[in-house]
């Protein structure tokens, strides 16, 4: 009797889980359709406008051609992000993990991001704590390409959401069998009520600003999945107007 009660409870729990997954899938398809339709419509309108003015107004034509290019870039970025996310979601862990010096990856990301930061007059800094001085302690098992694109996403966001004159810093620490990387900025910050949602697909705190800066709203979902596939976790702390810190914890090779 008790057993059958337990059985029924387990059955209804898995039914609820199935309903939840189905709803998530429906929402995802609806979101993707909307997100793809918007740039596709803009492309069509811009191409029509370009054809209309091509002969009489070369100045205007150049403007529409420029707009066409940036909308096409946005659409291409969206498709790349969607494919990356789908791939990460279909895997539970990193296929063929290899030893990777995480701090070396972060340092090369910071170097790569320098021109973008300089364009915005943002200072980029790296700092390793004492615990990180033996580089062998910063080695984890993972995929260097995925880790590179994950930290690029975090640093790119930090630069995007920090006004000129600000500062972005990456810090390395080693603690309790983990390598911890903090990426902090002195940017606009995120209101506390919005923090729990920022890792959701397509979620943006300020849709207009995100569109302006070319975001797809998928970056942090990709980051979270990459961290989790590496057996790690991510946390965020933020104060509007003061800045944001993302902390990535990755299990290191003992
Ligand atoms: P997006 O492509 O819009 O940047 P993300 O998934 O990377 O999408 O981030 C989701 C949202 O989280 C962003 O739209 C932005 O509102 C907020 N966000 C992410 N990183 C930061 C940051 N460093 N400072 C302030 N807000 C941020």
């Amino acid at each position: 009797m008790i057993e059958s009660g337990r059985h029924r409870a387990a059955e209804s729990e898995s039914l609820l889980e199935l309903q939840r997954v189905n709803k998530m899938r429906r929402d995802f398809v609806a979101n993707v359709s909307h997100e793809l339709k918007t740039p596709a419509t803009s492309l069509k309108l811009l191409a029509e406008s370009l054809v209309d003015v091509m002969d009489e107004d070369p100045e205007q034509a150049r403007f529409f051609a420029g707009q066409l290019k940036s909308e096409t870039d946005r659409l291409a970025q969206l498709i790349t992000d969607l494919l990356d996310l789908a791939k990460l979601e279909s895997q539970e862990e990193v296929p063929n993990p290899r030893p990777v010096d995480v701090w070396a990856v972060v340092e090369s990301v910071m170097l790569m991001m320098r021109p973008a930061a300089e364009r915005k007059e943002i200072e980029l800094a790296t700092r390793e704590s004492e615990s990180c001085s033996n580089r062998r302690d910063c080695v984890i098992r993972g995929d260097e390409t995925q880790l590179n694109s994950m930290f690029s996403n975090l640093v790119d966001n930090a630069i995007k959401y920090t006004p000129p004159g600000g500062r972005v810093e990456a810090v390395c620490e080693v603690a309790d069998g983990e390598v911890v990387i903090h990426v902090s900025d002195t940017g606009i910050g995120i209101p506390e009520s919005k923090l729990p949602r920022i890792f959701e697909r397509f979620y943006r705190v300020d849709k207009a600003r995100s569109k302006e800066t070319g975001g797809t709203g998928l970056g942090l979902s990709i980051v979270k999945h990459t961290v989790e596939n590496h057996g790690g976790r991510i946390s965020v702390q933020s104060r509007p107007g003061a800045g944001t810190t993302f902390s990535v914890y990755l299990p290191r090779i003992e």
Side-chain angles (χ1 to χ4, degrees), residues 31-94:
N31 279 338
V32 171
S33 320
H34 173 76
E35 297 285 338
L36 288 175
K37 244 187 219 158
T38 313
T41 308
S42 307
L43 288 184
K44 183 172 180 291
L45 291 174
L46 284 166
E48 283 168 2
S49 308
L50 178 61
V51 170
D52 283 349
V53 300
M54 214 153 51
D55 294 332
E56 288 99 64
D57 196 339
E59 185 81 17
Q60 278 268 17
R62 240 190 309 276
F63 170 78
F64 287 130
Q67 297 282 97
L68 253 176
K69 179 174 180 319
S70 48
E71 276 299 313
T72 312
D73 287 346
R74 258 176 69 76
L75 187 57
Q77 185 61 53
L78 181 59
I79 292 167
T80 307
D81 281 0
L82 273 171
L83 292 176
D84 281 354
L85 189 59
K87 196 161 151 209
L88 285 167
E89 282 185 340
S90 69
Q91 299 159 346
E92 298 239 307
E93 40 189 64
V94 180

Side-chain angles (χ1 to χ4, degrees), residues 1 22 109 131 145 148 152 159 162 168 177 196:
M1 195 62 182
N22 271 335
V109 165
S131 60
T145 311
N148 191 296
S152 299
I159 296 172
T162 298
V168 171

Side-chain angles (χ1 to χ4, degrees), residues 225-236:
H225 274 89
T226 307
V227 176
E228 286 173 355
N229 286 5
H230 279 81
R233 66 206 151 85
I234 182 164
S235 69
V236 55

